[in-house]
PDB file of all heavy atoms in Angstrom:
ATOM      1  N   ILE R1127      21.187  -3.438  -4.812  1.00 96.00           N
ATOM      2  CA  ILE R1127      19.896  -3.811  -5.377  1.00 96.00           C
ATOM      3  C   ILE R1127      18.855  -4.059  -4.303  1.00 96.00           C
ATOM      4  O   ILE R1127      17.712  -3.585  -4.408  1.00 96.00           O
ATOM      5  CB  ILE R1127      20.075  -5.083  -6.234  1.00 96.00           C
ATOM      6  CG1 ILE R1127      20.866  -4.768  -7.498  1.00 96.00           C
ATOM      7  CG2 ILE R1127      18.738  -5.687  -6.625  1.00 96.00           C
ATOM      8  CD1 ILE R1127      21.266  -5.967  -8.339  1.00 96.00           C
ATOM      9  N   VAL R1128      19.220  -4.721  -3.209  1.00 96.00           N
ATOM     10  CA  VAL R1128      18.301  -4.952  -2.112  1.00 96.00           C
ATOM     11  C   VAL R1128      17.851  -3.677  -1.450  1.00 96.00           C
ATOM     12  O   VAL R1128      16.641  -3.436  -1.269  1.00 96.00           O
ATOM     13  CB  VAL R1128      18.910  -5.948  -1.073  1.00 96.00           C
ATOM     14  CG1 VAL R1128      18.068  -6.010   0.164  1.00 96.00           C
ATOM     15  CG2 VAL R1128      19.067  -7.333  -1.699  1.00 96.00           C
ATOM     16  N   PHE R1129      18.739  -2.783  -1.105  1.00 96.00           N
ATOM     17  CA  PHE R1129      18.408  -1.549  -0.505  1.00 96.00           C
ATOM     18  C   PHE R1129      17.620  -0.636  -1.472  1.00 96.00           C
ATOM     19  O   PHE R1129      16.675   0.051  -1.070  1.00 96.00           O
ATOM     20  CB  PHE R1129      19.646  -0.817   0.007  1.00 96.00           C
ATOM     21  CG  PHE R1129      20.213  -1.418   1.260  1.00 96.00           C
ATOM     22  CD1 PHE R1129      21.585  -1.620   1.348  1.00 96.00           C
ATOM     23  CD2 PHE R1129      19.426  -1.774   2.325  1.00 96.00           C
ATOM     24  CE1 PHE R1129      22.130  -2.219   2.460  1.00 96.00           C
ATOM     25  CE2 PHE R1129      19.962  -2.373   3.446  1.00 96.00           C
ATOM     26  CZ  PHE R1129      21.338  -2.554   3.540  1.00 96.00           C
ATOM     27  N   GLY R1130      17.978  -0.669  -2.727  1.00 96.00           N
ATOM     28  CA  GLY R1130      17.212   0.061  -3.733  1.00 96.00           C
ATOM     29  C   GLY R1130      15.774  -0.412  -3.853  1.00 96.00           C
ATOM     30  O   GLY R1130      14.848   0.395  -4.000  1.00 96.00           O
ATOM     31  N   ALA R1131      15.568  -1.711  -3.735  1.00 95.00           N
ATOM     32  CA  ALA R1131      14.233  -2.262  -3.819  1.00 95.00           C
ATOM     33  C   ALA R1131      13.385  -1.844  -2.588  1.00 95.00           C
ATOM     34  O   ALA R1131      12.221  -1.526  -2.728  1.00 95.00           O
ATOM     35  CB  ALA R1131      14.297  -3.790  -3.914  1.00 95.00           C
ATOM     36  N   PHE R1132      13.991  -1.882  -1.418  1.00 95.00           N
ATOM     37  CA  PHE R1132      13.266  -1.471  -0.229  1.00 95.00           C
ATOM     38  C   PHE R1132      12.917   0.003  -0.265  1.00 95.00           C
ATOM     39  O   PHE R1132      11.763   0.385   0.075  1.00 95.00           O
ATOM     40  CB  PHE R1132      14.069  -1.764   1.072  1.00 95.00           C
ATOM     41  CG  PHE R1132      14.071  -3.176   1.482  1.00 95.00           C
ATOM     42  CD1 PHE R1132      15.211  -3.885   1.707  1.00 95.00           C
ATOM     43  CD2 PHE R1132      12.887  -3.841   1.676  1.00 95.00           C
ATOM     44  CE1 PHE R1132      15.229  -5.182   2.104  1.00 95.00           C
ATOM     45  CE2 PHE R1132      12.849  -5.142   2.089  1.00 95.00           C
ATOM     46  CZ  PHE R1132      14.012  -5.844   2.283  1.00 95.00           C
ATOM     47  N   ILE R1133      13.841   0.836  -0.692  1.00 96.00           N
ATOM     48  CA  ILE R1133      13.567   2.251  -0.749  1.00 96.00           C
ATOM     49  C   ILE R1133      12.527   2.606  -1.833  1.00 96.00           C
ATOM     50  O   ILE R1133      11.616   3.377  -1.644  1.00 96.00           O
ATOM     51  CB  ILE R1133      14.884   3.018  -1.014  1.00 96.00           C
ATOM     52  CG1 ILE R1133      15.758   2.964   0.245  1.00 96.00           C
ATOM     53  CG2 ILE R1133      14.594   4.486  -1.338  1.00 96.00           C
ATOM     54  CD1 ILE R1133      17.156   3.476   0.062  1.00 96.00           C
ATOM     55  N   GLY R1134      12.661   1.892  -2.967  1.00 94.00           N
ATOM     56  CA  GLY R1134      11.701   2.089  -4.057  1.00 94.00           C
ATOM     57  C   GLY R1134      10.304   1.667  -3.674  1.00 94.00           C
ATOM     58  O   GLY R1134       9.299   2.322  -4.014  1.00 94.00           O
ATOM     59  N   ARG R1135      10.181   0.578  -2.919  1.00 90.00           N
ATOM     60  CA  ARG R1135       8.867   0.128  -2.459  1.00 90.00           C
ATOM     61  C   ARG R1135       8.252   1.138  -1.524  1.00 90.00           C
ATOM     62  O   ARG R1135       7.056   1.398  -1.596  1.00 90.00           O
ATOM     63  CB  ARG R1135       9.020  -1.236  -1.791  1.00 90.00           C
ATOM     64  CG  ARG R1135       7.728  -1.850  -1.358  1.00 90.00           C
ATOM     65  CD  ARG R1135       7.997  -3.231  -0.784  1.00 90.00           C
ATOM     66  NE  ARG R1135       6.707  -3.822  -0.367  1.00 90.00           N
ATOM     67  CZ  ARG R1135       6.626  -4.852   0.351  1.00 90.00           C
ATOM     68  NH1 ARG R1135       7.692  -5.447   0.822  1.00 90.00           N
ATOM     69  NH2 ARG R1135       5.439  -5.301   0.721  1.00 90.00           N
ATOM     70  N   ARG R1136       9.048   1.673  -0.639  1.00 91.00           N
ATOM     71  CA  ARG R1136       8.529   2.676   0.298  1.00 91.00           C
ATOM     72  C   ARG R1136       8.047   3.921  -0.409  1.00 91.00           C
ATOM     73  O   ARG R1136       7.013   4.508  -0.092  1.00 91.00           O
ATOM     74  CB  ARG R1136       9.610   3.046   1.317  1.00 91.00           C
ATOM     75  CG  ARG R1136       9.577   2.294   2.533  1.00 91.00           C
ATOM     76  CD  ARG R1136      10.440   3.127   3.498  1.00 91.00           C
ATOM     77  NE  ARG R1136       9.710   3.377   4.698  1.00 91.00           N
ATOM     78  CZ  ARG R1136       9.953   2.828   5.875  1.00 91.00           C
ATOM     79  NH1 ARG R1136      10.945   2.038   5.979  1.00 91.00           N
ATOM     80  NH2 ARG R1136       9.219   3.080   6.905  1.00 91.00           N
ATOM     81  N   VAL R1137       8.841   4.376  -1.361  1.00 93.00           N
ATOM     82  CA  VAL R1137       8.501   5.601  -2.132  1.00 93.00           C
ATOM     83  C   VAL R1137       7.220   5.356  -2.897  1.00 93.00           C
ATOM     84  O   VAL R1137       6.287   6.189  -2.908  1.00 93.00           O
ATOM     85  CB  VAL R1137       9.648   6.007  -3.059  1.00 93.00           C
ATOM     86  CG1 VAL R1137       9.219   7.018  -4.045  1.00 93.00           C
ATOM     87  CG2 VAL R1137      10.847   6.521  -2.272  1.00 93.00           C
ATOM     88  N   TYR R1138       7.064   4.167  -3.543  1.00 90.00           N
ATOM     89  CA  TYR R1138       5.892   3.853  -4.325  1.00 90.00           C
ATOM     90  C   TYR R1138       4.650   3.762  -3.448  1.00 90.00           C
ATOM     91  O   TYR R1138       3.562   4.245  -3.774  1.00 90.00           O
ATOM     92  CB  TYR R1138       6.110   2.513  -5.072  1.00 90.00           C
ATOM     93  CG  TYR R1138       4.931   2.085  -5.885  1.00 90.00           C
ATOM     94  CD1 TYR R1138       4.558   2.811  -7.029  1.00 90.00           C
ATOM     95  CD2 TYR R1138       4.158   0.995  -5.539  1.00 90.00           C
ATOM     96  CE1 TYR R1138       3.478   2.377  -7.826  1.00 90.00           C
ATOM     97  CE2 TYR R1138       3.079   0.562  -6.274  1.00 90.00           C
ATOM     98  CZ  TYR R1138       2.756   1.322  -7.424  1.00 90.00           C
ATOM     99  OH  TYR R1138       1.692   0.922  -8.186  1.00 90.00           O
ATOM    100  N   ARG R1139       4.800   3.177  -2.241  1.00 88.00           N
ATOM    101  CA  ARG R1139       3.669   3.090  -1.319  1.00 88.00           C
ATOM    102  C   ARG R1139       3.221   4.447  -0.799  1.00 88.00           C
ATOM    103  O   ARG R1139       2.053   4.732  -0.766  1.00 88.00           O
ATOM    104  CB  ARG R1139       4.037   2.177  -0.164  1.00 88.00           C
ATOM    105  CG  ARG R1139       2.921   1.927   0.816  1.00 88.00           C
ATOM    106  CD  ARG R1139       3.319   0.973   1.925  1.00 88.00           C
ATOM    107  NE  ARG R1139       4.650   1.139   2.347  1.00 88.00           N
ATOM    108  CZ  ARG R1139       5.288   0.376   3.158  1.00 88.00           C
ATOM    109  NH1 ARG R1139       4.688  -0.711   3.616  1.00 88.00           N
ATOM    110  NH2 ARG R1139       6.524   0.602   3.523  1.00 88.00           N
ATOM    111  N   ASN R1140       4.177   5.299  -0.453  1.00 90.00           N
ATOM    112  CA  ASN R1140       3.814   6.642   0.009  1.00 90.00           C
ATOM    113  C   ASN R1140       3.216   7.452  -1.096  1.00 90.00           C
ATOM    114  O   ASN R1140       2.270   8.193  -0.870  1.00 90.00           O
ATOM    115  CB  ASN R1140       5.070   7.347   0.563  1.00 90.00           C
ATOM    116  CG  ASN R1140       5.521   6.770   1.847  1.00 90.00           C
ATOM    117  OD1 ASN R1140       4.809   6.176   2.552  1.00 90.00           O
ATOM    118  ND2 ASN R1140       6.810   6.977   2.143  1.00 90.00           N
ATOM    119  N   TRP R1141       3.669   7.284  -2.324  1.00 92.00           N
ATOM    120  CA  TRP R1141       3.041   7.991  -3.452  1.00 92.00           C
ATOM    121  C   TRP R1141       1.631   7.492  -3.655  1.00 92.00           C
ATOM    122  O   TRP R1141       0.707   8.300  -3.899  1.00 92.00           O
ATOM    123  CB  TRP R1141       3.903   7.725  -4.704  1.00 92.00           C
ATOM    124  CG  TRP R1141       3.216   8.215  -5.947  1.00 92.00           C
ATOM    125  CD1 TRP R1141       3.129   9.458  -6.412  1.00 92.00           C
ATOM    126  CD2 TRP R1141       2.515   7.404  -6.879  1.00 92.00           C
ATOM    127  NE1 TRP R1141       2.452   9.500  -7.589  1.00 92.00           N
ATOM    128  CE2 TRP R1141       2.039   8.248  -7.895  1.00 92.00           C
ATOM    129  CE3 TRP R1141       2.241   6.043  -6.969  1.00 92.00           C
ATOM    130  CZ2 TRP R1141       1.293   7.789  -8.963  1.00 92.00           C
ATOM    131  CZ3 TRP R1141       1.527   5.548  -8.032  1.00 92.00           C
ATOM    132  CH2 TRP R1141       1.040   6.439  -9.038  1.00 92.00           C
ATOM    133  N   GLY R1142       1.378   6.205  -3.526  1.00 88.00           N
ATOM    134  CA  GLY R1142       0.083   5.629  -3.724  1.00 88.00           C
ATOM    135  C   GLY R1142      -0.900   6.130  -2.619  1.00 88.00           C
ATOM    136  O   GLY R1142      -2.062   6.335  -2.876  1.00 88.00           O
ATOM    137  N   LEU R1143      -0.405   6.270  -1.395  1.00 87.00           N
ATOM    138  CA  LEU R1143      -1.269   6.766  -0.329  1.00 87.00           C
ATOM    139  C   LEU R1143      -1.628   8.229  -0.516  1.00 87.00           C
ATOM    140  O   LEU R1143      -2.740   8.669  -0.290  1.00 87.00           O
ATOM    141  CB  LEU R1143      -0.580   6.559   1.031  1.00 87.00           C
ATOM    142  CG  LEU R1143      -0.521   5.115   1.540  1.00 87.00           C
ATOM    143  CD1 LEU R1143       0.342   5.050   2.777  1.00 87.00           C
ATOM    144  CD2 LEU R1143      -1.926   4.585   1.810  1.00 87.00           C
ATOM    145  N   ARG R1144      -0.629   9.012  -0.974  1.00 91.00           N
ATOM    146  CA  ARG R1144      -0.903  10.440  -1.206  1.00 91.00           C
ATOM    147  C   ARG R1144      -1.864  10.663  -2.316  1.00 91.00           C
ATOM    148  O   ARG R1144      -2.701  11.572  -2.270  1.00 91.00           O
ATOM    149  CB  ARG R1144       0.414  11.153  -1.543  1.00 91.00           C
ATOM    150  CG  ARG R1144       1.184  11.612  -0.362  1.00 91.00           C
ATOM    151  CD  ARG R1144       2.264  12.652  -0.731  1.00 91.00           C
ATOM    152  NE  ARG R1144       2.869  12.393  -2.023  1.00 91.00           N
ATOM    153  CZ  ARG R1144       4.017  11.802  -2.254  1.00 91.00           C
ATOM    154  NH1 ARG R1144       4.706  11.306  -1.221  1.00 91.00           N
ATOM    155  NH2 ARG R1144       4.492  11.667  -3.453  1.00 91.00           N
ATOM    156  N   THR R1145      -1.757   9.863  -3.412  1.00 90.00           N
ATOM    157  CA  THR R1145      -2.676  10.079  -4.546  1.00 90.00           C
ATOM    158  C   THR R1145      -3.997   9.401  -4.399  1.00 90.00           C
ATOM    159  O   THR R1145      -4.886   9.605  -5.209  1.00 90.00           O
ATOM    160  CB  THR R1145      -1.991   9.586  -5.849  1.00 90.00           C
ATOM    161  OG1 THR R1145      -1.661   8.211  -5.692  1.00 90.00           O
ATOM    162  CG2 THR R1145      -0.743  10.383  -6.103  1.00 90.00           C
ATOM    163  N   GLY R1146      -4.155   8.547  -3.388  1.00 86.00           N
ATOM    164  CA  GLY R1146      -5.422   7.882  -3.155  1.00 86.00           C
ATOM    165  C   GLY R1146      -5.514   6.538  -3.864  1.00 86.00           C
ATOM    166  O   GLY R1146      -6.615   5.928  -3.861  1.00 86.00           O
ATOM    167  N   ARG R1147      -4.468   6.027  -4.436  1.00 88.00           N
ATOM    168  CA  ARG R1147      -4.547   4.731  -5.117  1.00 88.00           C
ATOM    169  C   ARG R1147      -4.587   3.575  -4.112  1.00 88.00           C
ATOM    170  O   ARG R1147      -5.179   2.517  -4.394  1.00 88.00           O
ATOM    171  CB  ARG R1147      -3.385   4.555  -6.051  1.00 88.00           C
ATOM    172  CG  ARG R1147      -3.438   5.420  -7.215  1.00 88.00           C
ATOM    173  CD  ARG R1147      -2.272   5.191  -8.139  1.00 88.00           C
ATOM    174  NE  ARG R1147      -2.332   6.133  -9.241  1.00 88.00           N
ATOM    175  CZ  ARG R1147      -2.216   5.746 -10.488  1.00 88.00           C
ATOM    176  NH1 ARG R1147      -2.034   4.486 -10.820  1.00 88.00           N
ATOM    177  NH2 ARG R1147      -2.305   6.621 -11.457  1.00 88.00           N
ATOM    178  N   PHE R1148      -3.912   3.694  -2.990  1.00 88.00           N
ATOM    179  CA  PHE R1148      -3.864   2.694  -1.971  1.00 88.00           C
ATOM    180  C   PHE R1148      -4.634   3.172  -0.740  1.00 88.00           C
ATOM    181  O   PHE R1148      -4.642   4.382  -0.470  1.00 88.00           O
ATOM    182  CB  PHE R1148      -2.469   2.365  -1.522  1.00 88.00           C
ATOM    183  CG  PHE R1148      -1.591   1.843  -2.591  1.00 88.00           C
ATOM    184  CD1 PHE R1148      -0.312   2.328  -2.820  1.00 88.00           C
ATOM    185  CD2 PHE R1148      -2.009   0.812  -3.462  1.00 88.00           C
ATOM    186  CE1 PHE R1148       0.490   1.842  -3.778  1.00 88.00           C
ATOM    187  CE2 PHE R1148      -1.200   0.308  -4.449  1.00 88.00           C
ATOM    188  CZ  PHE R1148       0.071   0.844  -4.595  1.00 88.00           C
ATOM    189  N   LYS R1149      -5.261   2.264  -0.046  1.00 90.00           N
ATOM    190  CA  LYS R1149      -5.933   2.547   1.214  1.00 90.00           C
ATOM    191  C   LYS R1149      -5.431   1.591   2.275  1.00 90.00           C
ATOM    192  O   LYS R1149      -4.901   0.502   1.923  1.00 90.00           O
ATOM    193  CB  LYS R1149      -7.410   2.442   1.060  1.00 90.00           C
ATOM    194  CG  LYS R1149      -7.980   3.391   0.058  1.00 90.00           C
ATOM    195  CD  LYS R1149      -9.442   3.194  -0.193  1.00 90.00           C
ATOM    196  CE  LYS R1149      -9.904   4.107  -1.292  1.00 90.00           C
ATOM    197  NZ  LYS R1149     -11.097   3.633  -1.936  1.00 90.00           N
ATOM    198  N   ILE R1150      -5.544   1.938   3.551  1.00 89.00           N
ATOM    199  CA  ILE R1150      -5.077   1.117   4.625  1.00 89.00           C
ATOM    200  C   ILE R1150      -6.282   0.481   5.343  1.00 89.00           C
ATOM    201  O   ILE R1150      -7.250   1.165   5.669  1.00 89.00           O
ATOM    202  CB  ILE R1150      -4.301   1.978   5.643  1.00 89.00           C
ATOM    203  CG1 ILE R1150      -3.060   2.585   4.955  1.00 89.00           C
ATOM    204  CG2 ILE R1150      -3.833   1.127   6.817  1.00 89.00           C
ATOM    205  CD1 ILE R1150      -2.305   3.520   5.841  1.00 89.00           C
ATOM    206  N   CYS R1151      -6.207  -0.828   5.578  1.00 91.00           N
ATOM    207  CA  CYS R1151      -7.245  -1.560   6.267  1.00 91.00           C
ATOM    208  C   CYS R1151      -7.198  -1.129   7.763  1.00 91.00           C
ATOM    209  O   CYS R1151      -6.161  -1.165   8.397  1.00 91.00           O
ATOM    210  CB  CYS R1151      -6.994  -3.038   6.124  1.00 91.00           C
ATOM    211  SG  CYS R1151      -8.123  -4.042   7.117  1.00 91.00           S
ATOM    212  N   PRO R1152      -8.354  -0.779   8.321  1.00 90.00           N
ATOM    213  CA  PRO R1152      -8.354  -0.391   9.742  1.00 90.00           C
ATOM    214  C   PRO R1152      -8.158  -1.593  10.711  1.00 90.00           C
ATOM    215  O   PRO R1152      -7.836  -1.382  11.863  1.00 90.00           O
ATOM    216  CB  PRO R1152      -9.696   0.250   9.922  1.00 90.00           C
ATOM    217  CG  PRO R1152     -10.549  -0.303   8.864  1.00 90.00           C
ATOM    218  CD  PRO R1152      -9.651  -0.585   7.716  1.00 90.00           C
ATOM    219  N   HIS R1153      -8.350  -2.805  10.193  1.00 90.00           N
ATOM    220  CA  HIS R1153      -8.260  -3.997  11.041  1.00 90.00           C
ATOM    221  C   HIS R1153      -6.795  -4.545  11.131  1.00 90.00           C
ATOM    222  O   HIS R1153      -6.296  -4.802  12.187  1.00 90.00           O
ATOM    223  CB  HIS R1153      -9.157  -5.087  10.576  1.00 90.00           C
ATOM    224  CG  HIS R1153     -10.571  -4.629  10.450  1.00 90.00           C
ATOM    225  ND1 HIS R1153     -11.379  -4.448  11.553  1.00 90.00           N
ATOM    226  CD2 HIS R1153     -11.344  -4.313   9.365  1.00 90.00           C
ATOM    227  CE1 HIS R1153     -12.586  -4.045  11.157  1.00 90.00           C
ATOM    228  NE2 HIS R1153     -12.579  -3.947   9.830  1.00 90.00           N
ATOM    229  N   CYS R1154      -6.164  -4.721   9.994  1.00 92.00           N
ATOM    230  CA  CYS R1154      -4.863  -5.343   9.950  1.00 92.00           C
ATOM    231  C   CYS R1154      -3.737  -4.387   9.531  1.00 92.00           C
ATOM    232  O   CYS R1154      -2.554  -4.714   9.761  1.00 92.00           O
ATOM    233  CB  CYS R1154      -4.862  -6.549   9.016  1.00 92.00           C
ATOM    234  SG  CYS R1154      -5.058  -6.114   7.246  1.00 92.00           S
ATOM    235  N   GLY R1155      -4.024  -3.244   9.019  1.00 87.00           N
ATOM    236  CA  GLY R1155      -3.039  -2.283   8.599  1.00 87.00           C
ATOM    237  C   GLY R1155      -2.404  -2.535   7.269  1.00 87.00           C
ATOM    238  O   GLY R1155      -1.448  -1.924   6.858  1.00 87.00           O
ATOM    239  N   GLY R1156      -2.974  -3.522   6.508  1.00 88.00           N
ATOM    240  CA  GLY R1156      -2.478  -3.867   5.195  1.00 88.00           C
ATOM    241  C   GLY R1156      -2.964  -2.852   4.149  1.00 88.00           C
ATOM    242  O   GLY R1156      -3.988  -2.164   4.308  1.00 88.00           O
ATOM    243  N   TYR R1157      -2.229  -2.742   3.038  1.00 87.00           N
ATOM    244  CA  TYR R1157      -2.592  -1.851   1.994  1.00 87.00           C
ATOM    245  C   TYR R1157      -3.385  -2.602   0.904  1.00 87.00           C
ATOM    246  O   TYR R1157      -3.069  -3.709   0.640  1.00 87.00           O
ATOM    247  CB  TYR R1157      -1.330  -1.263   1.339  1.00 87.00           C
ATOM    248  CG  TYR R1157      -0.539  -0.433   2.310  1.00 87.00           C
ATOM    249  CD1 TYR R1157       0.524  -0.986   3.045  1.00 87.00           C
ATOM    250  CD2 TYR R1157      -0.775   0.909   2.524  1.00 87.00           C
ATOM    251  CE1 TYR R1157       1.243  -0.238   3.938  1.00 87.00           C
ATOM    252  CE2 TYR R1157      -0.066   1.659   3.404  1.00 87.00           C
ATOM    253  CZ  TYR R1157       0.976   1.079   4.105  1.00 87.00           C
ATOM    254  OH  TYR R1157       1.682   1.835   4.977  1.00 87.00           O
ATOM    255  N   TYR R1158      -4.370  -1.937   0.368  1.00 89.00           N
ATOM    256  CA  TYR R1158      -5.156  -2.504  -0.725  1.00 89.00           C
ATOM    257  C   TYR R1158      -5.508  -1.457  -1.722  1.00 89.00           C
ATOM    258  O   TYR R1158      -5.441  -0.267  -1.465  1.00 89.00           O
ATOM    259  CB  TYR R1158      -6.425  -3.202  -0.174  1.00 89.00           C
ATOM    260  CG  TYR R1158      -7.397  -2.290   0.527  1.00 89.00           C
ATOM    261  CD1 TYR R1158      -8.407  -1.653  -0.183  1.00 89.00           C
ATOM    262  CD2 TYR R1158      -7.294  -2.066   1.874  1.00 89.00           C
ATOM    263  CE1 TYR R1158      -9.286  -0.835   0.429  1.00 89.00           C
ATOM    264  CE2 TYR R1158      -8.200  -1.249   2.516  1.00 89.00           C
ATOM    265  CZ  TYR R1158      -9.170  -0.583   1.791  1.00 89.00           C
ATOM    266  OH  TYR R1158     -10.079   0.227   2.384  1.00 89.00           O
ATOM    267  N   ARG R1159      -5.818  -1.901  -2.971  1.00 88.00           N
ATOM    268  CA  ARG R1159      -6.202  -1.007  -4.047  1.00 88.00           C
ATOM    269  C   ARG R1159      -7.698  -1.187  -4.349  1.00 88.00           C
ATOM    270  O   ARG R1159      -8.289  -2.229  -4.079  1.00 88.00           O
ATOM    271  CB  ARG R1159      -5.437  -1.359  -5.282  1.00 88.00           C
ATOM    272  CG  ARG R1159      -3.968  -1.127  -5.200  1.00 88.00           C
ATOM    273  CD  ARG R1159      -3.266  -1.587  -6.384  1.00 88.00           C
ATOM    274  NE  ARG R1159      -3.222  -0.547  -7.367  1.00 88.00           N
ATOM    275  CZ  ARG R1159      -2.603  -0.619  -8.517  1.00 88.00           C
ATOM    276  NH1 ARG R1159      -2.031  -1.711  -8.891  1.00 88.00           N
ATOM    277  NH2 ARG R1159      -2.608   0.424  -9.361  1.00 88.00           N
ATOM    278  N   GLY R1160      -8.279  -0.155  -4.902  1.00 85.00           N
ATOM    279  CA  GLY R1160      -9.689  -0.251  -5.289  1.00 85.00           C
ATOM    280  C   GLY R1160     -10.631   0.003  -4.165  1.00 85.00           C
ATOM    281  O   GLY R1160     -10.344   0.641  -3.178  1.00 85.00           O
ATOM    282  N   ASP R1161     -11.847  -0.588  -4.299  1.00 84.00           N
ATOM    283  CA  ASP R1161     -12.891  -0.392  -3.354  1.00 84.00           C
ATOM    284  C   ASP R1161     -13.531  -1.732  -3.001  1.00 84.00           C
ATOM    285  O   ASP R1161     -14.714  -1.966  -3.288  1.00 84.00           O
ATOM    286  CB  ASP R1161     -13.906   0.581  -3.948  1.00 84.00           C
ATOM    287  CG  ASP R1161     -14.770   1.202  -2.884  1.00 84.00           C
ATOM    288  OD1 ASP R1161     -14.429   1.158  -1.695  1.00 84.00           O
ATOM    289  OD2 ASP R1161     -15.876   1.717  -3.229  1.00 84.00           O
ATOM    290  N   PRO R1162     -12.814  -2.664  -2.381  1.00 86.00           N
ATOM    291  CA  PRO R1162     -13.383  -3.987  -2.098  1.00 86.00           C
ATOM    292  C   PRO R1162     -14.319  -3.991  -0.893  1.00 86.00           C
ATOM    293  O   PRO R1162     -14.278  -3.090  -0.056  1.00 86.00           O
ATOM    294  CB  PRO R1162     -12.154  -4.863  -1.804  1.00 86.00           C
ATOM    295  CG  PRO R1162     -11.194  -3.899  -1.205  1.00 86.00           C
ATOM    296  CD  PRO R1162     -11.445  -2.607  -1.954  1.00 86.00           C
ATOM    297  N   ILE R1163     -15.181  -5.002  -0.820  1.00 86.00           N
ATOM    298  CA  ILE R1163     -16.058  -5.148   0.343  1.00 86.00           C
ATOM    299  C   ILE R1163     -15.285  -5.745   1.499  1.00 86.00           C
ATOM    300  O   ILE R1163     -15.488  -5.341   2.634  1.00 86.00           O
ATOM    301  CB  ILE R1163     -17.229  -6.107  -0.038  1.00 86.00           C
ATOM    302  CG1 ILE R1163     -17.993  -5.605  -1.235  1.00 86.00           C
ATOM    303  CG2 ILE R1163     -18.144  -6.338   1.185  1.00 86.00           C
ATOM    304  CD1 ILE R1163     -18.882  -4.419  -0.976  1.00 86.00           C
ATOM    305  N   TYR R1164     -14.412  -6.688   1.212  1.00 89.00           N
ATOM    306  CA  TYR R1164     -13.625  -7.354   2.262  1.00 89.00           C
ATOM    307  C   TYR R1164     -12.119  -7.039   2.052  1.00 89.00           C
ATOM    308  O   TYR R1164     -11.701  -6.872   0.902  1.00 89.00           O
ATOM    309  CB  TYR R1164     -13.789  -8.866   2.225  1.00 89.00           C
ATOM    310  CG  TYR R1164     -15.217  -9.320   2.531  1.00 89.00           C
ATOM    311  CD1 TYR R1164     -16.064  -9.625   1.470  1.00 89.00           C
ATOM    312  CD2 TYR R1164     -15.687  -9.365   3.808  1.00 89.00           C
ATOM    313  CE1 TYR R1164     -17.391 -10.021   1.705  1.00 89.00           C
ATOM    314  CE2 TYR R1164     -16.969  -9.782   4.077  1.00 89.00           C
ATOM    315  CZ  TYR R1164     -17.804 -10.071   3.059  1.00 89.00           C
ATOM    316  OH  TYR R1164     -19.101 -10.459   3.297  1.00 89.00           O
ATOM    317  N   CYS R1165     -11.353  -7.001   3.146  1.00 90.00           N
ATOM    318  CA  CYS R1165      -9.904  -6.810   3.028  1.00 90.00           C
ATOM    319  C   CYS R1165      -9.278  -8.009   2.385  1.00 90.00           C
ATOM    320  O   CYS R1165      -9.537  -9.124   2.816  1.00 90.00           O
ATOM    321  CB  CYS R1165      -9.341  -6.537   4.434  1.00 90.00           C
ATOM    322  SG  CYS R1165      -7.550  -6.402   4.445  1.00 90.00           S
ATOM    323  N   PRO R1166      -8.433  -7.824   1.395  1.00 89.00           N
ATOM    324  CA  PRO R1166      -7.773  -8.948   0.765  1.00 89.00           C
ATOM    325  C   PRO R1166      -6.714  -9.668   1.637  1.00 89.00           C
ATOM    326  O   PRO R1166      -6.343 -10.781   1.366  1.00 89.00           O
ATOM    327  CB  PRO R1166      -7.103  -8.388  -0.497  1.00 89.00           C
ATOM    328  CG  PRO R1166      -7.006  -6.918  -0.201  1.00 89.00           C
ATOM    329  CD  PRO R1166      -8.063  -6.577   0.726  1.00 89.00           C
ATOM    330  N   HIS R1167      -6.330  -9.051   2.724  1.00 90.00           N
ATOM    331  CA  HIS R1167      -5.295  -9.616   3.591  1.00 90.00           C
ATOM    332  C   HIS R1167      -5.917 -10.364   4.812  1.00 90.00           C
ATOM    333  O   HIS R1167      -5.535 -11.526   5.048  1.00 90.00           O
ATOM    334  CB  HIS R1167      -4.361  -8.543   4.110  1.00 90.00           C
ATOM    335  CG  HIS R1167      -3.663  -7.799   3.020  1.00 90.00           C
ATOM    336  ND1 HIS R1167      -2.714  -8.354   2.241  1.00 90.00           N
ATOM    337  CD2 HIS R1167      -3.848  -6.542   2.575  1.00 90.00           C
ATOM    338  CE1 HIS R1167      -2.307  -7.467   1.342  1.00 90.00           C
ATOM    339  NE2 HIS R1167      -3.021  -6.346   1.534  1.00 90.00           N
ATOM    340  N   CYS R1168      -6.851  -9.725   5.465  1.00 91.00           N
ATOM    341  CA  CYS R1168      -7.404 -10.334   6.705  1.00 91.00           C
ATOM    342  C   CYS R1168      -8.821 -10.861   6.541  1.00 91.00           C
ATOM    343  O   CYS R1168      -9.297 -11.628   7.366  1.00 91.00           O
ATOM    344  CB  CYS R1168      -7.299  -9.381   7.894  1.00 91.00           C
ATOM    345  SG  CYS R1168      -8.357  -7.895   7.721  1.00 91.00           S
TER     346      CYS R1168
END
């Protein structure tokens, strides 16, 4: 279950980056959705 969750999370993140649903913050490297003014992580 633990390894399946890690692999599934990676696959979902890569799929989101390919389709444009997720973007990467240039400052902290965190992933975010949508088009915010400020990074939700940093």
Side-chain angles (χ1 to χ4, degrees):
I1127 290 171
V1128 169
F1129 287 133
F1132 281 126
I1133 291 171
R1135 184 177 180 193
R1136 266 197 127 111
V1137 168
Y1138 180 69
R1139 184 176 38 189
N1140 288 338
W1141 170 78
L1143 288 172
R1144 274 196 325 263
T1145 59
R1147 291 182 183 230
F1148 299 133
K1149 297 174 187 160
I1150 299 174
C1151 174
H1153 304 286
C1154 67
Y1157 297 93
Y1158 61 91
R1159 295 175 88 176
D1161 199 19
I1163 303 287
Y1164 297 100
C1165 176
H1167 302 290
C1168 65

